[in-house]
Amino acid sequence: FALELLRAEGMPSDGLRSKSWDEFAGPDAPRMDFIFTVCDQAAGEQCPFWPGHPVTAHWGLPDPAAVVQACADLLKPGGQLFLSTINRTPSAFALAIVGAEYVARLLPRGTHRYQQFLRPSELDTALRRSGLVLREVRGLAYEPVLRRAWLSRSTAVNYLMHAEKPA
């Protein structure tokens, strides 16, 4: 649904397509500096091997601020950082944990841990302490029956942040 979301927001998506992990394992795979993943042990998935040893991060880390700092250290001046996570609110608990894991069974039970959810203010603090400038915060809404996602004004459950390293 990522391509649909890009198109719906008027972003260029020509030439973009879903890719198999295999495309990143060959000798002519594109070089990547950073990989942000939700695999690891979140849902019992096996993380793929990333050639070239790019920096990888999983939001289930005990210190998300350290991840933000590591990203800031690696960004060039003018570099852009985009983050997506779940807010630590009663609404997020109800939808991401109770709704998605227990009621709709879209995810295995135990996928999310409420105490690891981050409020936008906490992530903004980590960005500022890392020398980054917050450019935008947008909510991300998702309709699981239609498998449709869109940007929204509400950050009550999911949200995206865009930050920049000053030039």
Side-chain angles (χ1 to χ4, degrees):
F1 67 63
L3 290 175
E4 293 171 20
L5 181 60
L6 287 172
R7 288 183 193 116
E9 293 300 316
M11 302 295 288
S13 60
D14 294 345
L16 300 179
R17 62 182 173 77
S18 294
K19 297 172 184 70
S20 162
W21 293 120
D22 298 336
E23 290 188 48
F24 300 99
D28 56 340
R31 183 180 179 279
M32 291 182 270
D33 297 315
F34 306 100
I35 305 294
F36 294 90
T37 180
V38 294
C39 57
D40 197 15
Q41 297 171 6
E45 298 144 321
Q46 192 74 344
C47 285
F49 167 75
W50 298 101
H53 306 288
V55 174
T56 60
H58 173 63
W59 224 217
L61 298 170
D63 187 3
V67 173
V68 171
Q69 183 64 60
C71 293
D73 291 344
L74 294 168
L75 279 176
K76 294 177 182 176
Q80 310 293 306
L81 179 63
F82 296 87
L83 302 167
S84 172
T85 193
I86 302 173
N87 201 343
R88 193 170 61 250
T89 62
S91 296
F93 179 84
L95 292 173
I97 296 177
V98 176
E101 295 181 25
Y102 291 84
V103 176
R105 296 185 180 156
L106 297 171
L107 300 166
R109 289 182 180 182
T111 296
H112 297 110
R113 290 172 185 81
Y114 183 72
Q115 67 274 15
Q116 291 181 334
F117 293 175
L118 294 172
R119 293 185 181 112
S121 60
E122 295 167 332
L123 191 49
D124 181 40
T125 297
L127 292 168
R128 285 186 285 108
R129 286 183 178 160
S130 298
L132 301 175
V133 177
L134 179 64
R135 295 294 182 209
E136 187 173 9
V137 179
R138 295 286 300 268
L140 181 66
Y142 180 65
E143 167 49 62
V145 174
L146 300 174
R147 297 185 59 173
R148 187 168 101 60
W150 62 94
L151 294 176
S152 85
R153 290 190 174 128
S154 173
T155 60
V157 179
N158 297 298
Y159 65 95
L160 304 157
M161 280 192 160
H162 169 213
E164 181 177 10
K165 185 168 191 171

